[in-house]
Amino acid sequence: MSTLTMKERLRGFGISFEKSLEDLIKGIRATNSDHEKLASFFERSIQECKNELKSPDLEVKSIAILKLAYLEMYGFDMSWCAFSILEVMASPKFQHKRIGYLAANQILQRQNNDDALIIHYDRLIERLDDDDSSVVSATVNVLCELAYMNPSNYIDLAPKFYKIMKESNNNWMMIRILKLFSSLSLIEPRLKNKLLPEIKAFMVNTKALSLQYECINAILNGNMLSPDDIDTAKLIVSNLLVFFASGDQNLKYVGLLAFIKTCKINQDLIKKHDKIILSSIYDNDITVRETSLEIVNSLVNEHNIVPIITRLTVQLLPYNDQKEQLDKINKKVLAQNSGQDSDDDTDTYIIGATQQPIVVSQKYKYLLVSKIIEICSMNNYENIPSFRWYLGVMTDILKLNVDNKISKIDKMITDQFVDIALRVPSVRHTLVNICFSLCGILEYTGRELLQFKEGLGNCMWIIGEYYDSYLQGESDSDSDSEPDSDSDSFSALQKQELKDLKQSKLSISEIIDTISKQNILSKLEQLDSYDIITTYVGAIAKMYSKFTSTYACGGDLSVSQLEFVKNSCLGVIEILSQFETSSNFELQECALSYVEILKLVDNSLENVLDGIKNTETSSASLPTFLTEGYNQLFLSYPLMPVGASAQEKVKIPDGLDLNAAIDEQATKEAVLIVDDDDTPARQNSTTVKQNNLTADALNLADIDLKKSEEHYPVGDEYQVEEETRKKKEKAGVDGIKIEVPSVALSAARKKPKKKAKKNVAIIE
């Protein structure tokens, strides 16, 4: 009995004579101090592994592969054992597969031996004429993979492939040839005239679903279907209906992919078979549902947008509520189908199990909301029945998100609110009411507003910007016009109606009181959400301005009314003053600026009240500093949307060189200062020159402002003010001494001006 046979027989009793990975590691450590012994040990171990790989026992092979994977980390090339790794990977035992895949990831390399392919290419092509069909099939398989990488090299073989396709009865070979022709037809479009009739014949004659799908895939991927080829498109769809009726989820998924590709080429098929896509949205397979969302917006028009959005929104509901709503929808569809004669054979497929409630993931809900917004807002909202309906849909989604808690949804929807507020004046009153409710101002319930933190900023911006629309009342239509309370067309009676109307609205004092009770600003400050707090500060300052301008309506106010305006001013000062010492510079600057101006407003109101007492009159108008000073900060220019191409129409003034230095002499002096040593004398000189530069830069900033006002489009007034503010800050305005090197200042002057940022709202 040979030694190998004896070892094989004893291995069945758990007796192994091969070294394990543990033995290998112990041997390496034992010889680690002597490099010669270590090299000799490595050589013997690799040879032992080679002998073990010859064994038919997969247990022995897997241990050998594991040891070789360990030795590979010492720098040895183990690519020679690639075939043995594949054998271990194919083992039915999980432990063997685990070792095989580990070694494959570590050892196997992608090797492209192009030289061998060139040398043996003619011999490979000869195998296409081999008598053995299995050899031909294997050759086609190889050429198919090669043609996928570079189809142009194999165009000359199209006649051979066509002959094989005509004569073969092997479905597997047919599938490979169809894949190959889909690659070749992209390079040679004339193949379509020869191939398309044959492929359509295969689709009609074969009963194999796999071959049917490859025929469809070859037509679509090979650009063989043109938009005017209605017959081929209908043939494809009729074959795909079998895939949808199948209980196999894989067939349903690939069928949907092909259906979407077909409908994108022939748009008329989308609306004819819209029920297929709508039913796929309710499929239990998440991949089918997500795929169907890609094309659902192509179904939408002004007549069906409401039911489609309803079907999508239902999936955001809890399971039980979803079931109740779907039952109502299914009853309506059944009633409609029973009362109409239809030749559409997809009706029986739609009214079935696919319209049952489903449990969806957070990721899918996010995609769903994104798709709803995309559908409703496409082409500048041309399909929605009214903006109030759309705002209702968005508000419902926000309410559902209280329980769903999907991140970024609140921000996404309130962004839509901002866009609509800019575009549609007639719904601003409704939007402000919605934002009051979302911010807990309309009725404070003690709800934790931090859950809505992502949407607070946008909502408060809308409240501040359009608080006057809220005070003036609700428009009766979705028109793009709104009345101007300051126009001459407003009669005395209308102005009195505005006075009465504002009494039922939330005043600035009530709003401030509610915000104070919420303690939301302190909570946001603890979370370092300074951008949201800054929006609150700006909105409160705007609301006071808009409230006073609407409150007066151009007439005199009584003493009690003036005192109410004054107390409201003190309330605004009180809530903004807490941020005068904020650690955030932007917030501190914003709050401090408004507080100081409002103190002047308070003084002017006090003077008016004193004047009433001294003259013994019963009423007086608001002070000029409030109406023509403070209020004009927010009422001078209406905020308008700007076209996407408006900035491109702004021409650079003649004679303006953006690369030229503003002050050549200052630049030369700055260069000379840099060349000098860093001495006290130099520092004093630098300070003096900076003061001179400060005055020059301030004057230039004022000049640039006058020039830029002539060139900015409507809605970019803020950009003019912002650029002027930045220039003055660089120059050291208001007596602030900016200690920067002169070279930095001159470099800043050389820097070309940046284009003004586009406004938020864009109308194509």
Side-chain angles (χ1 to χ4, degrees):
M1 181 183 296
S2 65
T3 303
L4 183 60
T5 304
M6 182 180 67
K7 289 182 179 180
E8 293 292 339
R9 293 181 63 180
L10 292 175
R11 190 173 292 110
F13 296 95
I15 302 174
S16 177
F17 295 92
E18 291 81 16
K19 292 180 180 178
S20 65
L21 179 60
E22 183 180 357
D23 297 329
L24 177 65
I25 294 173
K26 288 181 178 179
I28 293 174
R29 290 178 178 175
T31 59
N32 197 31
S33 58
D34 191 332
H35 294 294
E36 292 184 0
K37 290 183 179 180
L38 181 61
S40 178
F41 179 79
F42 278 143
E43 186 177 351
R44 290 197 310 271
S45 299
I46 293 174
Q47 188 59 44
E48 289 173 0
C49 290
K50 288 182 178 181
N51 294 333
E52 291 167 4
L53 290 178
K54 297 177 182 179
S55 172
D57 191 345
L58 283 175
E59 185 71 29
V60 176
K61 282 189 176 182
S62 64
I63 296 299
I65 292 296
L66 184 60
K67 291 189 290 184
L68 290 172
Y70 184 81
L71 290 171
E72 192 268 345
M73 292 189 294
Y74 282 90
F76 293 99
D77 181 17
M78 299 298 179
S79 59
W80 51 267
C81 63
F83 189 78
S84 298
I85 292 175
L86 295 176
E87 286 184 303
V88 175
M89 291 171 64
S91 172
K93 290 186 177 181
F94 173 75
Q95 187 62 27
H96 295 169
K97 285 182 176 292
R98 183 179 182 183
I99 294 172
Y101 279 99
L102 171 65
N105 185 52
Q106 187 172 325
I107 296 175
L108 295 187
Q109 300 176 359
R110 188 177 186 89
Q111 297 178 348
N112 298 320
N113 198 337
D114 297 328
D115 294 336
L117 180 63
I118 295 173
I119 294 172
H120 301 285
Y121 179 75
D122 292 337
R123 295 184 61 185
L124 179 65
I125 300 304
E126 290 174 1
R127 297 303 97 199
L128 290 174
D129 299 323
D130 197 280
D131 295 335
D132 191 341
S133 60
S134 60
V135 174
V136 177
S137 179
T139 306
V140 169
N141 189 45
V142 172
L143 292 173
C144 182
E145 294 298 326
L146 295 174
Y148 179 78
M149 301 298 296
N150 193 359
S152 58
N153 291 343
Y154 304 92
I155 288 291
D156 295 339
L157 298 177
K160 283 184 175 290
F161 295 140
Y162 182 78
K163 180 181 178 182
I164 295 172
M165 184 179 70
K166 290 276 291 181
E167 297 176 353
S168 176
N169 294 322
N170 187 333
N171 285 348
W172 174 250
M173 188 186 299
M174 290 288 297
I175 289 172
R176 303 305 295 176
I177 290 178
L178 287 170
K179 286 183 179 293
L180 198 153
F181 273 130
S182 66
S183 300
L184 297 182
S185 61
L186 296 174
I187 305 299
E188 181 51 76
R190 290 179 295 179
L191 287 174
K192 168 188 171 181
N193 299 329
K194 190 73 173 179
L195 294 175
L196 189 56
E198 294 297 330
I199 296 176
K200 290 167 64 175
F202 288 139
M203 290 173 58
V204 174
N205 297 328
T206 185
K207 294 182 180 180
L209 293 179
S210 59
L211 184 55
Q212 286 184 15
Y213 175 73
E214 289 301 332
C215 290
I216 295 171
N217 216 28
I219 294 174
L220 297 175
N221 293 341
N223 289 342
M224 301 182 195
L225 179 63
S226 57
D228 57 347
D229 192 353
I230 306 298
D231 294 335
T232 303
K234 288 183 177 179
L235 177 62
I236 290 174
V237 172
S238 64
N239 279 267
L240 290 176
L241 293 178
V242 180
F243 288 63
F244 292 114
S246 171
D248 190 332
Q249 290 297 113
N250 292 327
L251 289 177
K252 190 179 294 185
Y253 174 68
V254 297
L256 182 62
L257 290 177
F259 180 79
I260 291 175
K261 290 180 181 179
T262 306
C263 290
K264 286 181 178 179
I265 297 173
N266 196 310
Q267 297 288 333
D268 295 336
L269 293 173
I270 298 179
K271 297 179 180 178
K272 184 177 181 181
H273 300 280
D274 57 349
K275 296 178 181 178
I276 293 177
I277 299 174
L278 291 177
S279 64
S280 300
I281 297 173
Y282 289 91
D283 197 276
N284 292 327
D285 191 337
I286 183 65
T287 54
V288 173
R289 278 186 271 133
E290 291 182 1
T291 304
S292 62
L293 286 178
E294 295 179 10
I295 199 174
V296 69
N297 51 334
S298 301
L299 306 174
V300 176
N301 55 48
E302 59 183 0
H303 303 294
N304 63 10
I305 186 171
V306 174
I308 288 178
I309 294 299
T310 301
R311 289 172 178 267
L312 294 176
T313 310
V314 163
Q315 298 181 64
L316 298 172
L317 295 172
Y319 185 85
N320 293 332
D321 296 339
Q322 190 180 143
K323 185 177 185 302
E324 181 181 350
Q325 293 296 325
L326 278 178
D327 289 341
K328 295 179 181 179
I329 293 175
N330 288 339
K331 288 179 182 178
K332 291 182 180 179
V333 175
L334 283 170
Q336 181 180 1
N337 289 339
S338 61
Q340 295 180 356
D341 295 331
S342 176
D343 57 353
D344 190 352
D345 53 0
T346 62
D347 288 343
T348 55
Y349 166 68
I350 298 305
I351 310 303
T354 55
Q355 303 253 347
Q356 297 304 310
I358 54 177
V359 178
V360 296
S361 64
Q362 296 288 84
K363 176 185 175 183
Y364 179 74
K365 287 181 180 179
Y366 178 81
L367 293 175
L368 209 58
V369 175
S370 302
K371 181 57 66 173
I372 290 173
I373 293 175
E374 178 186 347
I375 289 172
C376 293
S377 61
M378 64 183 184
N379 298 329
N380 287 328
Y381 307 94
E382 69 173 1
N383 292 320
I384 62 174
S386 70
F387 282 98
R388 285 184 174 82
W389 170 84
Y390 183 46
L391 292 177
V393 173
M394 295 291 100
T395 306
D396 289 342
I397 294 175
L398 282 177
K399 292 178 180 177
L400 291 173
N401 201 45
V402 175
D403 296 325
N404 292 333
K405 297 178 181 178
I406 308 171
S407 62
K408 299 182 181 180
I409 291 297
D410 295 340
K411 178 66 166 57
M412 186 188 305
I413 292 180
T414 53
D415 282 343
Q416 286 289 292
F417 286 171
V418 172
D419 187 59
I420 294 173
L422 286 166
R423 295 170 183 264
V424 191
S426 60
V427 297
R428 288 172 181 169
H429 169 271
T430 305
L431 262 174
V432 174
N433 265 319
I434 292 173
C435 293
F436 272 145
S437 178
L438 292 173
C439 295
I441 296 175
L442 196 61
E443 181 181 359
Y444 178 56
T445 59
R447 180 174 67 91
E448 182 56 61
L449 284 178
L450 291 181
Q451 296 178 0
F452 186 61
K453 184 168 72 75
E454 294 179 347
L456 280 177
N458 283 337
C459 286
M460 283 307 302
W461 184 87
I462 292 172
I463 291 172
E465 191 66 31
Y466 302 112
Y467 182 60
D468 50 348
S469 299
Y470 165 79
L471 293 175
Q472 292 168 4
E474 184 175 7
S475 178
D476 294 327
S477 66
D478 278 351
S479 65
D480 290 337
S481 61
E482 64 176 350
D484 182 5
S485 60
D486 295 329
S487 65
D488 296 335
S489 61
F490 259 57
S491 64
L493 178 61
Q494 288 173 318
K495 292 182 179 181
Q496 182 61 40
E497 288 176 350
L498 279 178
K499 285 186 178 181
D500 297 336
L501 184 62
K502 66 90 190 170
Q503 294 176 359
S504 62
K505 305 292 183 178
L506 288 174
S507 67
I508 181 65
S509 299
E510 294 172 312
I511 295 172
I512 292 174
D513 184 58
T514 304
I515 293 175
S516 299
K517 289 179 180 179
Q518 292 173 342
N519 199 28
I520 182 63
L521 297 179
S522 299
K523 295 176 181 178
L524 290 170
E525 191 170 23
Q526 293 173 4
L527 297 174
D528 294 338
S529 299
Y530 297 111
D531 54 337
I532 302 177
I533 303 175
T534 304
T535 305
Y536 262 88
V537 169
I540 292 172
K542 288 180 185 178
M543 279 190 284
Y544 179 74
S545 169
K546 295 174 186 295
F547 180 79
T548 55
S549 62
T550 307
Y551 191 80
C553 290
D556 291 345
L557 300 180
S558 65
V559 173
S560 61
Q561 290 175 324
L562 287 170
E563 289 177 345
F564 176 72
V565 174
K566 185 177 186 300
N567 292 334
S568 299
C569 180
L570 294 175
V572 174
I573 292 174
E574 181 181 0
I575 196 171
L576 300 187
S577 296
Q578 58 184 308
F579 303 110
E580 286 183 313
T581 57
S582 173
S583 59
N584 182 267
F585 176 75
E586 292 291 337
L587 175 57
Q588 181 192 93
E589 181 186 31
C590 183
L592 188 61
S593 300
Y594 285 131
V595 166
E596 293 302 318
I597 297 176
L598 287 168
K599 286 179 180 179
L600 297 177
V601 171
D602 180 60
N603 290 337
S604 64
L605 287 168
E606 184 67 31
N607 293 334
V608 171
L609 289 171
D610 291 342
I612 292 177
K613 294 177 182 178
N614 295 333
T615 58
E616 297 182 354
T617 57
S618 60
S619 65
S621 60
L622 290 175
T624 305
F625 183 80
L626 175 58
T627 57
E628 298 182 8
Y630 180 75
N631 287 351
Q632 293 306 310
L633 294 175
F634 312 105
L635 302 177
S636 296
Y637 301 100
L639 185 62
M640 302 290 289
V642 180
S645 59
Q647 186 66 36
E648 299 175 359
K649 297 178 181 178
V650 179
K651 297 181 179 179
I652 299 177
D654 296 335
L656 176 62
D657 186 0
L658 297 178
N659 296 320
I662 297 176
D663 191 336
E664 292 287 351
Q665 183 63 27
T667 304
K668 294 177 181 179
E669 292 176 357
V671 173
L672 292 175
I673 292 173
V674 171
D675 293 336
D676 294 339
D677 293 333
D678 191 10
T679 60
R682 177 209 165 190
Q683 295 176 356
N684 294 332
S685 175
T686 302
T687 304
V688 172
K689 293 181 184 301
Q690 285 176 352
N691 292 335
N692 294 333
L693 290 174
T694 297
D696 294 340
L698 184 57
N699 294 331
L700 287 170
D702 292 334
I703 294 171
D704 288 346
L705 173 60
K706 295 178 182 178
K707 291 182 178 179
S708 59
E709 285 178 341
E710 302 174 359
H711 300 287
Y712 277 87
V714 177
D716 275 1
E717 291 82 7
Y718 169 77
Q719 282 302 135
V720 179
E721 297 173 2
E722 183 68 7
E723 289 195 3
T724 306
R725 182 182 67 80
K726 290 180 179 178
K727 289 178 180 178
K728 290 185 177 182
E729 283 181 355
K730 288 181 180 179
V733 187
D734 298 333
I736 299 176
K737 183 179 177 181
I738 305 176
E739 294 293 343
V740 294
S742 298
V743 66
L745 186 59
S746 61
R749 293 186 172 195
K750 288 184 179 180
K751 187 175 181 180
K753 297 180 181 178
K754 294 183 178 178
K755 290 186 178 180
K757 296 181 180 177
K758 293 186 176 70
N759 212 323
V760 176
I762 294 177
I763 294 180
E764 298 295 342

